[in-house]
Every structure is written in structure tokens, then in C-alpha cells.
Amino acid sequence: MIPNSLPRSFMKLVLSAAVAATLAASPVHARENARGDDNTAIIAALLGLVTLGVLLSGSDDEPSKPYGYVSRPHKPTPPQRVSKYRALPASCLREYRTQTGRKIMFGNRCLKKNFKYAHRLPSACERNLIAKNRKGIYVTRQGYKPSCLSKHGYRAVRRY
């Protein structure tokens, strides 16, 4: 099956315009063909019926799917076990209020207290940012960016 290159609504508009033009031209041909030449009137009527048939058969309730699309039911992947060297405590995820908005990262002090292998974390993921503390004063906070740690195979786990 060849995929439609034009939207379905545009195709319906063009076909309905063709039907309207055919029906509008048929009385003119009927007057001209009163002399006995009925071939053009028959062809015009057949063309109008074919166009009308295409319009009616093209009205599907479901939208058309892209060419080659196959739908399959989603199978959830089973949770994978994370090694103890790469399982970060989720309780160390912190949200900091900075001048540019809210930032989320793993707190450095929390990881050092609660994660035995904090010294093995990649230094490329370490970040320093300036955030407000509870008193509203801006202070420097050190931590690790979660997306970077995720790329290196680390995961946050609830129970540690």
C-alpha cells in the first residue's frame, strides 16, 4: 500500500471540490447535449459517482498509520539489579534553590556519610553551585550531577 503524502482532510476537500465542479458543469452539458450526443454527459456522471464513492470509502474512523508501522504491546522490562558499588542512596538526592532556578544533585556530604564507595565516583560528574541555605544566604554546595552519574552506570536506590 502506498502511503498518502497529503493529509486526509486536504484530500477530502479536493475531492469534494471535484464533485461540486462536476455537478455544476452537468446542467451546461445537458443543454448542449440535447441534440443527441450523450457520451460526455454519461462520462461526467460516471466521474461524479466515482469521486463520490472515493469520498465515502475514504472516511475511516481510525487515523491512518505510517507506512511500515507495526504496533506491539508494551512489555515492561524487569528491574535490573544494581551492584553495591553503583547503588547510590536516593536519600542523598537534594534540591537546591539557585539564582537560575532549582537544581537537583547528590549532596557530597551525604554521599560521604552514606555511600561506602563515594571516593570512586567520577570526578567529571562533580559540580559546585551557589545555592540559598535555610537562612536565605547564598553558599557554595558540592555534589554530583545525577544525569552524569547515570551515564557512568550509577543508580539511585531507595533502600540502602
Side-chain angles (χ1 to χ4, degrees):
M1 182 176 164
I2 300 172
N4 290 343
S5 60
L6 296 174
R8 189 175 294 265
S9 59
F10 181 71
M11 292 290 288
K12 286 183 181 182
L13 177 68
V14 170
L15 289 176
S16 61
V19 169
T22 304
L23 294 177
S26 62
V28 174
H29 289 295
R31 281 189 224 122
E32 291 176 0
N33 293 333
R35 299 180 198 139
D37 187 17
D38 292 332
N39 290 340
T40 56
I42 292 171
I43 291 172
L46 287 175
L47 181 63
L49 288 174
V50 167
T51 307
L52 188 61
V54 167
L55 272 175
L56 293 177
S57 68
S59 63
D60 294 340
D61 289 339
E62 295 182 21
S64 61
K65 294 182 179 174
Y67 185 70
Y69 176 78
V70 178
S71 63
R72 293 186 182 95
H74 173 69
K75 292 183 182 177
T77 57
Q80 297 178 353
R81 294 193 54 152
V82 181
S83 112
K84 65 179 181 177
Y85 302 108
R86 301 210 181 254
L88 300 171
S91 61
C92 289
L93 264 177
R94 303 279 190 251
E95 182 176 319
Y96 297 102
R97 293 180 299 165
T98 66
Q99 291 176 339
T100 58
R102 296 182 184 266
K103 305 286 183 191
I104 296 175
M105 66 180 191
F106 284 97
N108 195 24
R109 285 189 302 181
C110 180
L111 285 176
K112 285 184 179 179
K113 283 183 187 177
N114 300 313
F115 184 54
K116 185 178 178 181
Y117 306 100
H119 62 281
R120 291 187 180 181
L121 292 174
S123 61
C125 298
E126 195 167 1
R127 297 286 183 260
N128 292 331
L129 56 88
I130 298 173
K132 278 187 180 180
N133 63 8
R134 291 181 184 158
K135 296 178 182 177
I137 301 169
Y138 283 101
V139 294
T140 302
R141 297 292 183 198
Q142 297 170 344
Y144 292 88
K145 196 171 178 183
S147 59
C148 180
L149 290 175
S150 176
K151 288 177 186 175
H152 284 88
Y154 291 91
R155 301 285 180 257
V157 293
R158 287 183 186 238
R159 292 190 178 183
Y160 191 72

Coordinates of all heavy atoms in Angstrom, one line a residue, residues 4 7 10 13-15 30-31 50-52 55-56 60 68-69 76 92 97 101 106-107 123 132 142 149 157 160:
N4 N -0.3 7.9 1.9 CA -0.8 9.1 1.5 C 0.2 10.2 1.8 O 0.7 10.3 2.9 CB -2.1 9.5 2.1 CG -3.2 8.6 1.7 OD1 -3.1 7.9 0.7 ND2 -4.3 8.6 2.4
P7 N -2.4 15.2 3.7 CA -3.3 14.9 4.8 C -4.7 14.5 4.3 O -5.2 15.0 3.2 CB -3.4 16.2 5.6 CG -2.2 17.0 5.1 CD -1.9 16.5 3.7
F10 N -7.2 17.4 3.6 CA -7.0 18.1 2.3 C -7.5 17.3 1.1 O -8.1 17.8 0.2 CB -5.5 18.4 2.2 CG -5.2 19.2 0.9 CD1 -5.5 20.5 0.8 CD2 -4.5 18.5 -0.1 CE1 -5.2 21.2 -0.4 CE2 -4.2 19.2 -1.3 CZ -4.6 20.6 -1.4
L13 N -11.2 17.6 0.8 CA -11.5 18.9 0.3 C -11.4 19.0 -1.2 O -12.3 19.5 -1.9 CB -10.7 20.0 1.0 CG -10.9 21.5 0.5 CD1 -12.2 21.9 0.9 CD2 -9.8 22.3 1.0
V14 N -10.3 18.4 -1.7 CA -10.1 18.4 -3.2 C -11.1 17.6 -3.9 O -11.7 18.0 -4.9 CB -8.6 17.9 -3.5 CG1 -8.4 17.7 -4.9 CG2 -7.6 18.9 -3.0
L15 N -11.4 16.4 -3.3 CA -12.4 15.5 -3.9 C -13.8 16.1 -3.9 O -14.6 16.0 -4.8 CB -12.4 14.2 -3.2 CG -11.1 13.3 -3.5 CD1 -11.2 12.0 -2.8 CD2 -11.0 13.0 -5.0
A30 N -25.9 19.2 -20.2 CA -27.2 18.6 -20.6 C -27.9 19.5 -21.6 O -28.5 18.9 -22.5 CB -28.0 18.5 -19.3
R31 N -27.7 20.8 -21.5 CA -28.3 21.6 -22.5 C -27.6 21.5 -23.9 O -28.3 21.5 -24.9 CB -28.2 23.1 -22.1 CG -29.2 23.5 -21.0 CD -29.3 25.0 -20.8 NE -29.3 25.1 -19.3 CZ -28.5 25.8 -18.6 NH1 -27.5 26.4 -19.2 NH2 -28.6 25.9 -17.3
V50 N -17.9 8.1 -9.3 CA -16.6 7.5 -8.8 C -16.0 8.4 -7.7 O -15.5 7.9 -6.7 CB -15.6 7.3 -10.0 CG1 -14.2 7.0 -9.5 CG2 -16.1 6.2 -10.9
T51 N -16.0 9.7 -8.0 CA -15.5 10.7 -7.0 C -16.2 10.6 -5.7 O -15.7 10.5 -4.6 CB -15.5 12.1 -7.5 OG1 -14.9 12.1 -8.8 CG2 -14.8 13.1 -6.6
L52 N -17.6 10.5 -5.7 CA -18.4 10.4 -4.6 C -18.1 9.0 -3.8 O -18.0 9.0 -2.6 CB -19.9 10.5 -4.9 CG -20.9 10.5 -3.8 CD1 -20.6 11.7 -2.9 CD2 -22.3 10.5 -4.3
L55 N -14.8 9.4 -1.9 CA -15.0 10.2 -0.7 C -15.7 9.4 0.4 O -15.2 9.4 1.5 CB -16.0 11.4 -1.0 CG -15.3 12.6 -1.5 CD1 -16.3 13.7 -1.9 CD2 -14.4 13.2 -0.5
L56 N -16.7 8.6 0.1 CA -17.4 7.8 1.1 C -16.5 6.6 1.6 O -16.6 6.3 2.8 CB -18.7 7.3 0.5 CG -19.7 8.4 0.2 CD1 -21.0 7.8 -0.4 CD2 -20.1 9.2 1.5
D60 N -12.5 6.8 7.2 CA -12.2 5.8 8.2 C -12.4 6.4 9.6 O -12.1 7.6 9.8 CB -10.7 5.3 8.1 CG -10.5 4.5 6.8 OD1 -11.5 4.0 6.2 OD2 -9.3 4.4 6.4
G68 N 4.7 0.9 7.2 CA 5.6 0.0 7.8 C 5.5 0.0 9.3 O 6.2 -0.6 10.0
Y69 N 4.5 0.7 9.9 CA 4.3 0.8 11.3 C 3.6 -0.5 11.8 O 2.6 -0.9 11.3 CB 3.5 2.0 11.7 CG 3.2 2.1 13.2 CD1 4.1 2.6 14.1 CD2 1.9 1.7 13.7 CE1 3.8 2.7 15.4 CE2 1.6 1.8 15.0 CZ 2.6 2.3 15.9 OH 2.3 2.4 17.2
P76 N 6.9 -4.5 30.0 CA 7.8 -3.8 30.9 C 9.1 -4.6 31.2 O 9.0 -5.8 31.3 CB 7.0 -3.6 32.1 CG 5.9 -4.5 32.0 CD 5.7 -4.8 30.6
C92 N 20.1 10.8 49.4 CA 21.1 11.9 49.2 C 20.8 12.8 48.0 O 21.5 13.7 47.8 CB 22.5 11.2 48.9 SG 23.2 10.5 50.4
R97 N 18.0 25.6 45.7 CA 17.5 26.9 45.1 C 18.7 27.8 44.7 O 19.4 28.3 45.6 CB 16.6 27.6 46.1 CG 15.3 26.8 46.4 CD 14.5 27.6 47.4 NE 15.2 27.8 48.7 CZ 14.9 28.6 49.6 NH1 13.8 29.4 49.5 NH2 15.6 28.7 50.7
G101 N 17.4 29.1 39.3 CA 16.3 28.1 39.4 C 16.6 27.0 40.3 O 17.7 27.0 41.0
F106 N 23.2 15.0 43.8 CA 23.5 14.2 45.0 C 24.5 15.1 45.9 O 25.5 15.5 45.4 CB 24.2 12.9 44.6 CG 23.3 11.9 44.1 CD1 23.1 11.7 42.7 CD2 22.6 11.1 44.9 CE1 22.3 10.8 42.2 CE2 21.7 10.1 44.4 CZ 21.6 9.9 43.1
G107 N 24.1 15.2 47.1 CA 24.9 16.0 48.1 C 26.2 15.3 48.4 O 26.2 14.1 48.7
S123 N 35.0 12.0 38.9 CA 35.2 13.5 39.2 C 34.6 14.4 38.1 O 34.4 15.5 38.3 CB 36.7 13.8 39.3 OG 37.4 13.5 38.1
K132 N 20.9 28.9 48.0 CA 20.5 29.5 49.2 C 20.4 28.5 50.3 O 19.9 27.4 50.1 CB 19.1 30.1 49.1 CG 19.0 31.5 48.5 CD 17.6 32.0 48.5 CE 17.5 33.4 47.9 NZ 16.2 33.9 47.9
Q142 N 28.5 21.4 47.2 CA 29.2 20.5 46.3 C 28.4 19.2 46.2 O 27.8 18.8 47.2 CB 30.6 20.2 46.9 CG 31.5 21.4 47.0 CD 32.8 21.1 47.8 OE1 32.8 20.1 48.5 NE2 33.8 21.9 47.7
L149 N 26.1 10.8 36.5 CA 26.3 9.5 37.2 C 25.5 8.4 36.6 O 26.0 7.3 36.5 CB 25.9 9.7 38.7 CG 26.8 10.6 39.6 CD1 26.2 10.7 41.0 CD2 28.2 10.0 39.7
V157 N 18.9 4.1 44.6 CA 18.1 3.1 45.1 C 17.4 3.6 46.4 O 18.1 4.3 47.1 CB 18.8 1.8 45.3 CG1 19.3 1.2 44.0 CG2 20.0 2.0 46.2
Y160 N 19.0 1.3 51.2 CA 20.5 1.1 51.1 C 21.0 0.4 52.2 O 20.6 0.6 53.4 CB 21.1 2.5 50.9 CG 22.5 2.4 50.6 CD1 22.9 2.1 49.3 CD2 23.6 2.6 51.5 CE1 24.2 2.0 48.9 CE2 24.9 2.5 51.1 CZ 25.2 2.2 49.8 OH 26.5 2.1 49.5

